[in-house]
Each structure stands twice: as structure tokens, then as C-alpha cells.
Amino acid sequence: MTITLNEAEQRLAKFLANGRSDANRASNTQDRKMGGQSGELTDLNGIAAEIAFCKIHNVYPDLNIDARPAADCILHNGVSVDVKSTRYASGRLLAVRWKKPNVDMFALMVGEFPSYRYAGSLSAVELLSDTKLRDLGHGMTYAADQSELHYP
């Protein structure tokens, strides 16, 4: 399923991305992005993908700018979700090794601002498993191909 954010959602994504970027710089938060894209673009695509995922599931994303909770949203059944995004059509669902399983599920959105496709999800237990560790050129990370994802 592909979602294109409407004009209001796009403005919200830009506002939140700018606010989070400013808050991260002010608190000296380390930028841990993977890839050569700018931090601003990473922030924009990240929050826009979260909004698109939430739109599909009819829930609100975390709109907080200053505090960054583990979950990007909570589904109606109480499942906490960390939404990941990639611009690559065949991109993988990734989570860094130091990531603690403080969410129930990881979801992958594929696309670029303002349109995203929901590629599926994995439980934290499934993704943060030693069997999913791979070196993709930036050190060992948890990775799952889209063919391994579930589509709840």
C-alpha cells in the first residue's frame, strides 16, 4: 500500500523534522544515520514515513520534538512500533546493534518525501536476533530483506 502525504501532513513533517533536528543539535545528539544523505533529509524522510505508517494504521505518530521515546507510535492493540524508512525500492529493514528491544515491532516504509509504501514489519524478537546480523558496509547491523517481512 502506498500513501502520499497531503499538504497539511507534508507541512507537519517539515515542522517536526526541523524541530527534531534543532533539538538534536542543541543536545549534541550523535547523528547515527547510515548513508551519505544529509541529516535534514534523513529527518524529513523519517518523520514523513512515520506519519504515512500511522495514516495507514489510523493512529497518531509521536509528535514530540524534544524527548525521543523509543516508539514512533502505538497501534490500537497496544503494540509499540519503531518505523524505519529507506528510499531504495529493495531496501532492507535495519536496526543498529546497540538498539535495545524497547519496542514490540519494527516497520519498514519505502519511498521519498512525500510518498511511501508500507513494505511490512517484524517483531523486535525476530529482527534483533543474531541470525539477522549482517555487515552491509557500515559494520554489523540487524537486517531483514523485504521478503522476510510480515504485512499485518
Side-chain angles (χ1 to χ4, degrees):
M1 168 181 286
T2 299
I3 294 291
T4 298
L5 301 182
N6 65 34
E7 186 177 324
E9 293 161 340
Q10 291 177 38
R11 285 195 311 266
L12 175 63
K14 289 175 183 176
F15 172 80
L16 291 171
N18 289 334
R20 288 182 180 178
S21 180
D22 290 347
N24 286 338
R25 277 197 306 275
S27 65
N28 293 318
T29 301
Q30 184 178 359
D31 188 350
R32 296 185 181 263
K33 67 180 173 64
M34 291 186 185
Q37 71 281 4
S38 72
E40 292 80 13
L41 183 58
T42 300
D43 289 340
L44 177 59
N45 273 308
I47 188 61
E50 292 170 22
I51 293 169
F53 176 86
C54 289
K55 188 172 181 176
I56 291 168
H57 290 88
N58 197 28
V59 296
Y60 264 90
D62 171 32
L63 301 177
N64 200 331
I65 291 175
D66 297 324
R68 296 293 306 259
D72 294 321
C73 66
I74 308 293
L75 299 179
H76 292 289
N77 61 2
V79 171
S80 58
V81 184
D82 187 349
V83 179
K84 302 296 186 182
S85 65
T86 180
R87 63 186 172 130
Y88 301 107
S90 62
R92 296 177 178 98
L93 177 60
L94 304 177
V96 292
R97 282 186 82 179
W98 51 265
K99 191 78 163 185
K100 302 285 188 245
N102 48 8
V103 294
D104 300 313
M105 184 173 87
F106 289 87
L108 179 63
M109 299 297 289
V110 178
E112 291 187 82
F113 185 78
S115 296
Y116 300 88
R117 173 179 56 86
Y118 177 44
S121 61
L122 280 180
S123 73
V125 172
E126 291 175 285
L127 183 60
L128 303 180
S129 160
D130 287 345
T131 62
K132 297 286 189 222
L133 281 172
R134 300 182 193 169
D135 187 346
L136 302 175
H138 299 279
M140 297 299 282
T141 190
Y142 296 106
D145 294 326
Q146 290 182 36
S147 62
E148 300 174 83
L149 304 181
H150 309 292
Y151 193 82

